[in-house]
Amino acid sequence: MKRGDFHGEETLLLESEHLSVEVLAAAGPRIVRLVLAGSDENVLGEVADIGWDTPWGEYHLRGGHRLWWAPENPPLTSAPDEGDLLVGEAADGLCLERLEPQSHLRKLMQIELAADRAAVTVRHRIRNESEAAIELAPWAITILPLDGVALLPQQRGPIGENEFLPNRSLVLWPYSSISDPRLVLGDELVLVRATAAPSPFKLGYLNRAGWAAYLRGGILFCKRFDPQAELAHADLGSNVEVYCNDRLLELETLAPLSVLEPGAETSHEERWELHPVGEVDSSAEGFAALVAELGLL
């Protein structure tokens, strides 16, 4: 297997004729690069200079794709993740796992490349290896560069047969403003435009469509997942969240909450697709036409 370098850290490369995926070899589990064949541009964001102090040392954000757990519980959810990473080969890919000594949770990430298209399956698992039960949800967070737009599909018709009941809601964090110019509300899609601004913005909601996407530079990065909308979720019922600040955008999906007894585990699968779409009409109508053309709406 090929080896590489990510800002001074050793990496391992998975390749198909359609794309390549690069993971850290000794920390994480973390996917740090996603590159279409014939290109040298990383679809994922790189922020190797960002970090913050924790009781166990500095946490390095790095960029790329990571596995956290919800609801957020600082400082445990951002405990440093260097060292003791186990790497194993899996069918068409790799399995990465690491036990967090601070939380006694084992994080596992299995990565498989599709043979026939630019697609990746990322399976996330969290196992409770502590002596007490804990309620949590796997939380798959993908850092993406600025200058794109997140596309969040909305529920149009009623849920079930009663058209008099509400069919959608939005969740905002204390630092988020409903008047933030990065937020564009639409009936088909809610957009979050990833432009730098002095204050961060975060939005969550219960996504019933089973996908969310990010468009940048003529490439649509789409995450598909099982919404499991009938089950309880963290963050006021959110299974998709978007966070944006002056350096990055995070496109996040969450599994339902589970009470994990000692020795039990829970899982969450994302299926990534890369679609070269070229120049796109950047209006809300243009984005809706694009996703309809791709069969997403």
PDB file of all heavy atoms in Angstrom, residues 28-59:
ATOM      1  N   GLY A  28      -6.152   9.323  14.772  1.00  0.00           N
ATOM      2  CA  GLY A  28      -7.515   9.335  14.244  1.00  0.00           C
ATOM      3  C   GLY A  28      -8.436   8.386  15.000  1.00  0.00           C
ATOM      4  O   GLY A  28      -8.430   8.352  16.221  1.00  0.00           O
ATOM      5  N   PRO A  29      -9.244   7.627  14.253  1.00  0.00           N
ATOM      6  CA  PRO A  29      -9.208   7.431  12.797  1.00  0.00           C
ATOM      7  C   PRO A  29      -9.630   8.691  12.043  1.00  0.00           C
ATOM      8  O   PRO A  29     -10.578   9.361  12.434  1.00  0.00           O
ATOM      9  CB  PRO A  29     -10.203   6.284  12.572  1.00  0.00           C
ATOM     10  CG  PRO A  29     -11.107   6.307  13.761  1.00  0.00           C
ATOM     11  CD  PRO A  29     -10.293   6.806  14.905  1.00  0.00           C
ATOM     12  N   ARG A  30      -8.906   8.943  10.943  1.00  0.00           N
ATOM     13  CA  ARG A  30      -9.107  10.196  10.223  1.00  0.00           C
ATOM     14  C   ARG A  30      -8.810  10.009   8.734  1.00  0.00           C
ATOM     15  O   ARG A  30      -7.748   9.537   8.349  1.00  0.00           O
ATOM     16  CB  ARG A  30      -8.186  11.270  10.788  1.00  0.00           C
ATOM     17  CG  ARG A  30      -8.302  12.646  10.134  1.00  0.00           C
ATOM     18  CD  ARG A  30      -9.582  13.319  10.558  1.00  0.00           C
ATOM     19  NE  ARG A  30      -9.584  13.537  11.988  1.00  0.00           N
ATOM     20  CZ  ARG A  30      -9.373  14.727  12.569  1.00  0.00           C
ATOM     21  NH1 ARG A  30      -9.150  15.787  11.839  1.00  0.00           N
ATOM     22  NH2 ARG A  30      -9.409  14.835  13.886  1.00  0.00           N
ATOM     23  N   ILE A  31      -9.777  10.395   7.886  1.00  0.00           N
ATOM     24  CA  ILE A  31      -9.560  10.532   6.448  1.00  0.00           C
ATOM     25  C   ILE A  31      -9.124  11.971   6.216  1.00  0.00           C
ATOM     26  O   ILE A  31      -9.814  12.901   6.643  1.00  0.00           O
ATOM     27  CB  ILE A  31     -10.831  10.224   5.645  1.00  0.00           C
ATOM     28  CG1 ILE A  31     -11.292   8.783   5.894  1.00  0.00           C
ATOM     29  CG2 ILE A  31     -10.606  10.459   4.151  1.00  0.00           C
ATOM     30  CD1 ILE A  31     -12.661   8.465   5.290  1.00  0.00           C
ATOM     31  N   VAL A  32      -7.995  12.178   5.542  1.00  0.00           N
ATOM     32  CA  VAL A  32      -7.490  13.543   5.387  1.00  0.00           C
ATOM     33  C   VAL A  32      -7.530  14.040   3.944  1.00  0.00           C
ATOM     34  O   VAL A  32      -7.486  15.257   3.721  1.00  0.00           O
ATOM     35  CB  VAL A  32      -6.054  13.684   5.943  1.00  0.00           C
ATOM     36  CG1 VAL A  32      -6.065  13.569   7.457  1.00  0.00           C
ATOM     37  CG2 VAL A  32      -5.111  12.656   5.326  1.00  0.00           C
ATOM     38  N   ARG A  33      -7.606  13.128   2.975  1.00  0.00           N
ATOM     39  CA  ARG A  33      -7.687  13.590   1.583  1.00  0.00           C
ATOM     40  C   ARG A  33      -8.646  12.710   0.792  1.00  0.00           C
ATOM     41  O   ARG A  33      -8.735  11.498   1.001  1.00  0.00           O
ATOM     42  CB  ARG A  33      -6.313  13.585   0.901  1.00  0.00           C
ATOM     43  CG  ARG A  33      -5.358  14.651   1.411  1.00  0.00           C
ATOM     44  CD  ARG A  33      -4.157  14.846   0.485  1.00  0.00           C
ATOM     45  NE  ARG A  33      -3.274  15.903   0.983  1.00  0.00           N
ATOM     46  CZ  ARG A  33      -2.135  15.691   1.619  1.00  0.00           C
ATOM     47  NH1 ARG A  33      -1.701  14.454   1.808  1.00  0.00           N
ATOM     48  NH2 ARG A  33      -1.398  16.703   2.041  1.00  0.00           N
ATOM     49  N   LEU A  34      -9.357  13.362  -0.146  1.00  0.00           N
ATOM     50  CA  LEU A  34     -10.264  12.707  -1.085  1.00  0.00           C
ATOM     51  C   LEU A  34     -10.052  13.407  -2.417  1.00  0.00           C
ATOM     52  O   LEU A  34     -10.368  14.593  -2.560  1.00  0.00           O
ATOM     53  CB  LEU A  34     -11.706  12.848  -0.608  1.00  0.00           C
ATOM     54  CG  LEU A  34     -12.813  12.304  -1.512  1.00  0.00           C
ATOM     55  CD1 LEU A  34     -12.727  10.788  -1.625  1.00  0.00           C
ATOM     56  CD2 LEU A  34     -14.185  12.719  -0.983  1.00  0.00           C
ATOM     57  N   VAL A  35      -9.505  12.682  -3.405  1.00  0.00           N
ATOM     58  CA  VAL A  35      -9.062  13.307  -4.651  1.00  0.00           C
ATOM     59  C   VAL A  35      -9.597  12.515  -5.836  1.00  0.00           C
ATOM     60  O   VAL A  35      -9.428  11.290  -5.903  1.00  0.00           O
ATOM     61  CB  VAL A  35      -7.517  13.376  -4.716  1.00  0.00           C
ATOM     62  CG1 VAL A  35      -7.063  14.005  -6.024  1.00  0.00           C
ATOM     63  CG2 VAL A  35      -6.961  14.161  -3.528  1.00  0.00           C
ATOM     64  N   LEU A  36     -10.243  13.200  -6.767  1.00  0.00           N
ATOM     65  CA  LEU A  36     -10.707  12.558  -7.989  1.00  0.00           C
ATOM     66  C   LEU A  36      -9.519  12.174  -8.867  1.00  0.00           C
ATOM     67  O   LEU A  36      -8.508  12.888  -8.912  1.00  0.00           O
ATOM     68  CB  LEU A  36     -11.624  13.494  -8.771  1.00  0.00           C
ATOM     69  CG  LEU A  36     -13.102  13.514  -8.379  1.00  0.00           C
ATOM     70  CD1 LEU A  36     -13.805  14.675  -9.072  1.00  0.00           C
ATOM     71  CD2 LEU A  36     -13.782  12.194  -8.735  1.00  0.00           C
ATOM     72  N   ALA A  37      -9.645  11.060  -9.586  1.00  0.00           N
ATOM     73  CA  ALA A  37      -8.598  10.651 -10.523  1.00  0.00           C
ATOM     74  C   ALA A  37      -8.382  11.748 -11.559  1.00  0.00           C
ATOM     75  O   ALA A  37      -9.337  12.357 -12.055  1.00  0.00           O
ATOM     76  CB  ALA A  37      -8.997   9.349 -11.207  1.00  0.00           C
ATOM     77  N   GLY A  38      -7.122  12.021 -11.857  1.00  0.00           N
ATOM     78  CA  GLY A  38      -6.793  13.064 -12.814  1.00  0.00           C
ATOM     79  C   GLY A  38      -6.695  14.450 -12.214  1.00  0.00           C
ATOM     80  O   GLY A  38      -6.415  15.420 -12.923  1.00  0.00           O
ATOM     81  N   SER A  39      -6.925  14.571 -10.906  1.00  0.00           N
ATOM     82  CA  SER A  39      -6.851  15.855 -10.215  1.00  0.00           C
ATOM     83  C   SER A  39      -5.842  15.754  -9.083  1.00  0.00           C
ATOM     84  O   SER A  39      -5.513  14.664  -8.620  1.00  0.00           O
ATOM     85  CB  SER A  39      -8.228  16.235  -9.650  1.00  0.00           C
ATOM     86  OG  SER A  39      -8.141  17.373  -8.802  1.00  0.00           O
ATOM     87  N   ASP A  40      -5.345  16.899  -8.646  1.00  0.00           N
ATOM     88  CA  ASP A  40      -4.485  16.917  -7.465  1.00  0.00           C
ATOM     89  C   ASP A  40      -5.098  17.766  -6.359  1.00  0.00           C
ATOM     90  O   ASP A  40      -4.431  18.103  -5.380  1.00  0.00           O
ATOM     91  CB  ASP A  40      -3.088  17.429  -7.810  1.00  0.00           C
ATOM     92  CG  ASP A  40      -3.099  18.836  -8.412  1.00  0.00           C
ATOM     93  OD1 ASP A  40      -4.196  19.427  -8.533  1.00  0.00           O
ATOM     94  OD2 ASP A  40      -2.019  19.339  -8.760  1.00  0.00           O
ATOM     95  N   GLU A  41      -6.402  18.111  -6.489  1.00  0.00           N
ATOM     96  CA  GLU A  41      -7.065  18.957  -5.499  1.00  0.00           C
ATOM     97  C   GLU A  41      -7.817  18.114  -4.483  1.00  0.00           C
ATOM     98  O   GLU A  41      -8.617  17.245  -4.844  1.00  0.00           O
ATOM     99  CB  GLU A  41      -8.035  19.931  -6.175  1.00  0.00           C
ATOM    100  CG  GLU A  41      -8.686  20.881  -5.189  1.00  0.00           C
ATOM    101  CD  GLU A  41      -9.499  21.971  -5.862  1.00  0.00           C
ATOM    102  OE1 GLU A  41      -9.522  22.013  -7.109  1.00  0.00           O
ATOM    103  OE2 GLU A  41     -10.115  22.773  -5.136  1.00  0.00           O
ATOM    104  N   ASN A  42      -7.562  18.392  -3.225  1.00  0.00           N
ATOM    105  CA  ASN A  42      -8.245  17.707  -2.138  1.00  0.00           C
ATOM    106  C   ASN A  42      -9.660  18.255  -1.998  1.00  0.00           C
ATOM    107  O   ASN A  42      -9.854  19.453  -1.780  1.00  0.00           O
ATOM    108  CB  ASN A  42      -7.472  17.901  -0.826  1.00  0.00           C
ATOM    109  CG  ASN A  42      -8.010  17.065   0.315  1.00  0.00           C
ATOM    110  OD1 ASN A  42      -8.912  16.243   0.142  1.00  0.00           O
ATOM    111  ND2 ASN A  42      -7.453  17.267   1.503  1.00  0.00           N
ATOM    112  N   VAL A  43     -10.654  17.385  -2.118  1.00  0.00           N
ATOM    113  CA  VAL A  43     -12.045  17.802  -1.927  1.00  0.00           C
ATOM    114  C   VAL A  43     -12.276  18.196  -0.467  1.00  0.00           C
ATOM    115  O   VAL A  43     -13.095  19.073  -0.178  1.00  0.00           O
ATOM    116  CB  VAL A  43     -13.006  16.679  -2.357  1.00  0.00           C
ATOM    117  CG1 VAL A  43     -14.453  17.006  -1.995  1.00  0.00           C
ATOM    118  CG2 VAL A  43     -12.889  16.422  -3.864  1.00  0.00           C
ATOM    119  N   LEU A  44     -11.562  17.569   0.454  1.00  0.00           N
ATOM    120  CA  LEU A  44     -11.718  17.838   1.877  1.00  0.00           C
ATOM    121  C   LEU A  44     -10.887  19.046   2.297  1.00  0.00           C
ATOM    122  O   LEU A  44      -9.911  19.407   1.636  1.00  0.00           O
ATOM    123  CB  LEU A  44     -11.309  16.610   2.696  1.00  0.00           C
ATOM    124  CG  LEU A  44     -11.966  15.289   2.307  1.00  0.00           C
ATOM    125  CD1 LEU A  44     -11.478  14.167   3.210  1.00  0.00           C
ATOM    126  CD2 LEU A  44     -13.479  15.400   2.359  1.00  0.00           C
ATOM    127  N   GLY A  45     -11.267  19.657   3.396  1.00  0.00           N
ATOM    128  CA  GLY A  45     -10.548  20.814   3.898  1.00  0.00           C
ATOM    129  C   GLY A  45      -9.308  20.425   4.683  1.00  0.00           C
ATOM    130  O   GLY A  45      -9.278  19.390   5.362  1.00  0.00           O
ATOM    131  N   GLU A  46      -8.269  21.256   4.620  1.00  0.00           N
ATOM    132  CA  GLU A  46      -7.030  21.056   5.355  1.00  0.00           C
ATOM    133  C   GLU A  46      -6.804  22.248   6.283  1.00  0.00           C
ATOM    134  O   GLU A  46      -6.675  23.383   5.820  1.00  0.00           O
ATOM    135  CB  GLU A  46      -5.855  20.899   4.392  1.00  0.00           C
ATOM    136  CG  GLU A  46      -6.004  19.709   3.436  1.00  0.00           C
ATOM    137  CD  GLU A  46      -4.766  19.479   2.574  1.00  0.00           C
ATOM    138  OE1 GLU A  46      -3.674  19.972   2.959  1.00  0.00           O
ATOM    139  OE2 GLU A  46      -4.887  18.824   1.519  1.00  0.00           O
ATOM    140  N   VAL A  47      -6.774  21.978   7.585  1.00  0.00           N
ATOM    141  CA  VAL A  47      -6.582  23.051   8.589  1.00  0.00           C
ATOM    142  C   VAL A  47      -5.591  22.553   9.633  1.00  0.00           C
ATOM    143  O   VAL A  47      -5.874  22.514  10.831  1.00  0.00           O
ATOM    144  CB  VAL A  47      -7.925  23.478   9.215  1.00  0.00           C
ATOM    145  CG1 VAL A  47      -8.744  24.296   8.241  1.00  0.00           C
ATOM    146  CG2 VAL A  47      -8.736  22.266   9.695  1.00  0.00           C
ATOM    147  N   ALA A  48      -4.404  22.186   9.162  1.00  0.00           N
ATOM    148  CA  ALA A  48      -3.414  21.575  10.051  1.00  0.00           C
ATOM    149  C   ALA A  48      -2.925  22.516  11.131  1.00  0.00           C
ATOM    150  O   ALA A  48      -2.348  22.068  12.131  1.00  0.00           O
ATOM    151  CB  ALA A  48      -2.227  21.073   9.222  1.00  0.00           C
ATOM    152  N   ASP A  49      -3.160  23.805  10.991  1.00  0.00           N
ATOM    153  CA  ASP A  49      -2.679  24.773  11.977  1.00  0.00           C
ATOM    154  C   ASP A  49      -3.670  25.023  13.104  1.00  0.00           C
ATOM    155  O   ASP A  49      -3.353  25.741  14.059  1.00  0.00           O
ATOM    156  CB  ASP A  49      -2.376  26.097  11.283  1.00  0.00           C
ATOM    157  CG  ASP A  49      -3.607  26.685  10.587  1.00  0.00           C
ATOM    158  OD1 ASP A  49      -4.315  25.925   9.902  1.00  0.00           O
ATOM    159  OD2 ASP A  49      -3.858  27.894  10.733  1.00  0.00           O
ATOM    160  N   ILE A  50      -4.876  24.445  13.044  1.00  0.00           N
ATOM    161  CA  ILE A  50      -5.891  24.708  14.053  1.00  0.00           C
ATOM    162  C   ILE A  50      -5.842  23.642  15.147  1.00  0.00           C
ATOM    163  O   ILE A  50      -5.784  22.440  14.859  1.00  0.00           O
ATOM    164  CB  ILE A  50      -7.298  24.751  13.432  1.00  0.00           C
ATOM    165  CG1 ILE A  50      -7.407  25.919  12.441  1.00  0.00           C
ATOM    166  CG2 ILE A  50      -8.372  24.880  14.512  1.00  0.00           C
ATOM    167  CD1 ILE A  50      -8.758  26.032  11.776  1.00  0.00           C
ATOM    168  N   GLY A  51      -5.883  24.082  16.387  1.00  0.00           N
ATOM    169  CA  GLY A  51      -5.926  23.171  17.530  1.00  0.00           C
ATOM    170  C   GLY A  51      -6.311  23.943  18.778  1.00  0.00           C
ATOM    171  O   GLY A  51      -6.418  25.172  18.762  1.00  0.00           O
ATOM    172  N   TRP A  52      -6.548  23.212  19.864  1.00  0.00           N
ATOM    173  CA  TRP A  52      -6.879  23.865  21.129  1.00  0.00           C
ATOM    174  C   TRP A  52      -6.437  22.978  22.290  1.00  0.00           C
ATOM    175  O   TRP A  52      -6.244  21.768  22.139  1.00  0.00           O
ATOM    176  CB  TRP A  52      -8.369  24.176  21.221  1.00  0.00           C
ATOM    177  CG  TRP A  52      -9.283  23.006  20.996  1.00  0.00           C
ATOM    178  CD1 TRP A  52      -9.689  22.076  21.900  1.00  0.00           C
ATOM    179  CD2 TRP A  52      -9.903  22.647  19.760  1.00  0.00           C
ATOM    180  NE1 TRP A  52     -10.531  21.161  21.323  1.00  0.00           N
ATOM    181  CE2 TRP A  52     -10.685  21.483  19.997  1.00  0.00           C
ATOM    182  CE3 TRP A  52      -9.899  23.181  18.472  1.00  0.00           C
ATOM    183  CZ2 TRP A  52     -11.436  20.852  19.008  1.00  0.00           C
ATOM    184  CZ3 TRP A  52     -10.634  22.562  17.480  1.00  0.00           C
ATOM    185  CH2 TRP A  52     -11.395  21.416  17.762  1.00  0.00           C
ATOM    186  N   ASP A  53      -6.278  23.615  23.440  1.00  0.00           N
ATOM    187  CA  ASP A  53      -5.807  22.908  24.621  1.00  0.00           C
ATOM    188  C   ASP A  53      -6.913  22.054  25.228  1.00  0.00           C
ATOM    189  O   ASP A  53      -8.086  22.429  25.234  1.00  0.00           O
ATOM    190  CB  ASP A  53      -5.304  23.898  25.666  1.00  0.00           C
ATOM    191  CG  ASP A  53      -4.015  24.583  25.245  1.00  0.00           C
ATOM    192  OD1 ASP A  53      -3.252  23.979  24.480  1.00  0.00           O
ATOM    193  OD2 ASP A  53      -3.796  25.736  25.679  1.00  0.00           O
ATOM    194  N   THR A  54      -6.542  20.890  25.737  1.00  0.00           N
ATOM    195  CA  THR A  54      -7.423  20.021  26.511  1.00  0.00           C
ATOM    196  C   THR A  54      -6.659  19.587  27.762  1.00  0.00           C
ATOM    197  O   THR A  54      -5.446  19.802  27.855  1.00  0.00           O
ATOM    198  CB  THR A  54      -7.838  18.766  25.717  1.00  0.00           C
ATOM    199  OG1 THR A  54      -6.763  17.811  25.720  1.00  0.00           O
ATOM    200  CG2 THR A  54      -8.223  19.093  24.286  1.00  0.00           C
ATOM    201  N   PRO A  55      -7.321  18.958  28.735  1.00  0.00           N
ATOM    202  CA  PRO A  55      -6.599  18.485  29.923  1.00  0.00           C
ATOM    203  C   PRO A  55      -5.520  17.453  29.606  1.00  0.00           C
ATOM    204  O   PRO A  55      -4.658  17.180  30.450  1.00  0.00           O
ATOM    205  CB  PRO A  55      -7.708  17.876  30.782  1.00  0.00           C
ATOM    206  CG  PRO A  55      -8.951  18.565  30.346  1.00  0.00           C
ATOM    207  CD  PRO A  55      -8.777  18.801  28.883  1.00  0.00           C
ATOM    208  N   TRP A  56      -5.561  16.859  28.384  1.00  0.00           N
ATOM    209  CA  TRP A  56      -4.613  15.792  28.026  1.00  0.00           C
ATOM    210  C   TRP A  56      -3.620  16.254  26.965  1.00  0.00           C
ATOM    211  O   TRP A  56      -2.907  15.451  26.379  1.00  0.00           O
ATOM    212  CB  TRP A  56      -5.388  14.584  27.508  1.00  0.00           C
ATOM    213  CG  TRP A  56      -6.476  14.178  28.455  1.00  0.00           C
ATOM    214  CD1 TRP A  56      -6.351  13.494  29.627  1.00  0.00           C
ATOM    215  CD2 TRP A  56      -7.862  14.493  28.315  1.00  0.00           C
ATOM    216  NE1 TRP A  56      -7.570  13.347  30.227  1.00  0.00           N
ATOM    217  CE2 TRP A  56      -8.520  13.949  29.445  1.00  0.00           C
ATOM    218  CE3 TRP A  56      -8.638  15.153  27.359  1.00  0.00           C
ATOM    219  CZ2 TRP A  56      -9.905  14.055  29.633  1.00  0.00           C
ATOM    220  CZ3 TRP A  56     -10.007  15.274  27.552  1.00  0.00           C
ATOM    221  CH2 TRP A  56     -10.627  14.726  28.679  1.00  0.00           C
ATOM    222  N   GLY A  57      -3.554  17.548  26.710  1.00  0.00           N
ATOM    223  CA  GLY A  57      -2.682  18.067  25.676  1.00  0.00           C
ATOM    224  C   GLY A  57      -3.487  18.708  24.559  1.00  0.00           C
ATOM    225  O   GLY A  57      -4.714  18.792  24.621  1.00  0.00           O
ATOM    226  N   GLU A  58      -2.801  19.152  23.517  1.00  0.00           N
ATOM    227  CA  GLU A  58      -3.476  19.870  22.435  1.00  0.00           C
ATOM    228  C   GLU A  58      -4.225  18.919  21.515  1.00  0.00           C
ATOM    229  O   GLU A  58      -3.726  17.849  21.152  1.00  0.00           O
ATOM    230  CB  GLU A  58      -2.470  20.680  21.615  1.00  0.00           C
ATOM    231  CG  GLU A  58      -3.143  21.565  20.558  1.00  0.00           C
ATOM    232  CD  GLU A  58      -2.171  22.455  19.817  1.00  0.00           C
ATOM    233  OE1 GLU A  58      -0.956  22.242  19.957  1.00  0.00           O
ATOM    234  OE2 GLU A  58      -2.628  23.355  19.088  1.00  0.00           O
ATOM    235  N   TYR A  59      -5.450  19.312  21.175  1.00  0.00           N
ATOM    236  CA  TYR A  59      -6.196  18.591  20.152  1.00  0.00           C
ATOM    237  C   TYR A  59      -5.905  19.239  18.801  1.00  0.00           C
ATOM    238  O   TYR A  59      -6.036  20.454  18.642  1.00  0.00           O
ATOM    239  CB  TYR A  59      -7.702  18.645  20.417  1.00  0.00           C
ATOM    240  CG  TYR A  59      -8.492  17.929  19.340  1.00  0.00           C
ATOM    241  CD1 TYR A  59      -8.631  16.547  19.373  1.00  0.00           C
ATOM    242  CD2 TYR A  59      -9.060  18.632  18.290  1.00  0.00           C
ATOM    243  CE1 TYR A  59      -9.324  15.880  18.372  1.00  0.00           C
ATOM    244  CE2 TYR A  59      -9.756  17.965  17.287  1.00  0.00           C
ATOM    245  CZ  TYR A  59      -9.882  16.599  17.335  1.00  0.00           C
ATOM    246  OH  TYR A  59     -10.559  15.948  16.339  1.00  0.00           O
TER     247      TYR A  59
END
